[in-house]
Amino acid sequence: MAHYKAEQDDWLIVYLKYLLFVFNFFFWVGGAAVMAVGVWTLVEKSGYLSVLASSTFAASAYILIFAGALVMVTGFLGFGAIIREDRSCLSTYFCLLLVIFLVELVAGVLAHMYYQRLSDELKQHLSRTLAENYRQPGASDLTTSVDRLQQDFKCCGSNSSADWQHSAYILSREAEGRRVPDSCCKTVVARCGQRAHPSNIYKVEGGCITKLEQFLADHLLLMGAVGIGVACLQICGMVLTCCLHRRLQLHFY
């Protein structure tokens, strides 16, 4: 009877090991996906960050990168712990899973809070940015961001092209008679902004605010979906780790 119980314990340990090994592989892939989304956000979409009033969006991306890197390192530790059947490594693995879960929870809360006030922030900040800071001394990064925003989203002005009439740049001599910046033009050439006709510039209903708000909302949704997916894997992993740790403890004692 004792021999049968020992064989049953061995079978359960092997089953849990394989199950945890498969989970750990998907967990590692999920970590790579989380880090990739964070890096993509900062590298490909960093041109829009200067027009945002707060750094919450960028902070969420940095947290995702940190969590993704930690997931990948933890994944390697998990593979070692499973193969060696080392209970101390399994305990460390469990603790790291818990830490990563909490980090992703913080990132999720930040993203949700930012989503709630995204519209108000854009409406208040973008209009003021275009009017007061565009093409002003020390605002080269912001100017580049606005120009890229208008070209990428094919829009002009925060709410409409008429917003540029109140811009310090357009009202200055530096504008050389431009009614809108050249980045509003469908085909950008020198001084093309002097002609503000719909055939020449982008006149989009809702302006750049509507398009940027939708873009950020979609991106936050993607970040949240990836984070939730990995968090669900982590919960499964913590349960499996506890089960394997317990079986190993009973097996050796």
Side-chain angles (χ1 to χ4, degrees), residues 189-211:
V189 294
R191 300 183 183 86
C192 63
Q194 292 175 346
R195 182 169 173 266
H197 191 272
S199 63
N200 183 51
I201 68 170
Y202 295 115
K203 284 186 174 286
V204 181
E205 186 178 349
C208 292
I209 282 181
T210 302
K211 292 202 169 187

Side-chain angles (χ1 to χ4, degrees), residues 111-222:
H112 179 72
M113 289 171 58
Y114 185 64
Y115 179 78
Q116 296 299 312
R117 55 189 178 85
L118 177 61
S119 181
D120 290 337
E121 177 182 314
L122 286 177
K123 287 175 183 176
Q124 294 173 11
H125 185 69
L126 188 57
S127 298
R128 186 170 65 250
T129 295
L130 300 187
E132 300 175 5
N133 302 321
Y134 184 80
R135 291 276 183 181
Q136 299 305 301
S140 58
D141 288 343
L142 187 144
T143 298
T144 302
S145 294
V146 171
D147 286 338
R148 180 181 174 184
L149 175 69
Q150 295 191 137
Q151 278 294 297
D152 287 356
F153 291 142
K154 295 178 170 52
C155 58
C156 184
S158 55
N159 293 290
S160 71
S161 59
D163 294 330
W164 285 110
Q165 296 175 10
H166 310 292
S167 169
Y169 164 68
I170 295 299
L171 296 173
S172 69
R173 290 184 178 180
E174 186 186 351
E176 299 179 329
R178 290 177 176 86
R179 297 175 64 186
V180 294
D182 291 344
S183 58
C184 282
C185 299
K186 295 177 180 178
T187 302
V188 179
V189 294
R191 300 183 183 86
C192 63
Q194 292 175 346
R195 182 169 173 266
H197 191 272
S199 63
N200 183 51
I201 68 170
Y202 295 115
K203 284 186 174 286
V204 181
E205 186 178 349
C208 292
I209 282 181
T210 302
K211 292 202 169 187
L212 182 58
E213 182 180 353
Q214 186 60 52
F215 164 79
L216 292 175
D218 291 344
H219 215 68
L220 287 170
L221 183 63
L222 174 62

Side-chain angles (χ1 to χ4, degrees), residues 10-28 78-79 82-83 90 93 97 233-244 247:
D10 288 342
W11 180 84
L12 283 172
I13 289 172
V14 170
Y15 177 76
L16 286 171
K17 279 178 61 178
Y18 278 113
L19 199 59
L20 189 55
F21 197 90
V22 170
F23 151 79
N24 199 60
F25 171 76
F26 286 110
F27 178 62
W28 189 88
F79 286 128
I82 295 165
I83 293 170
L90 283 172
Y93 179 61
L97 286 177
L233 283 174
Q234 286 172 255
I235 293 172
C236 295
M238 286 188 283
V239 172
L240 288 172
T241 303
C242 285
C243 291
L244 181 57
R247 296 310 304 182

Side-chain angles (χ1 to χ4, degrees), residues 23 27 30-31 33-34 71 100 104 225-235:
F23 151 79
F27 178 62
V34 167
V71 163
I100 295 167
E104 288 177 340
V226 171
I228 290 172
V230 174
C232 290
L233 283 174
Q234 286 172 255
I235 293 172

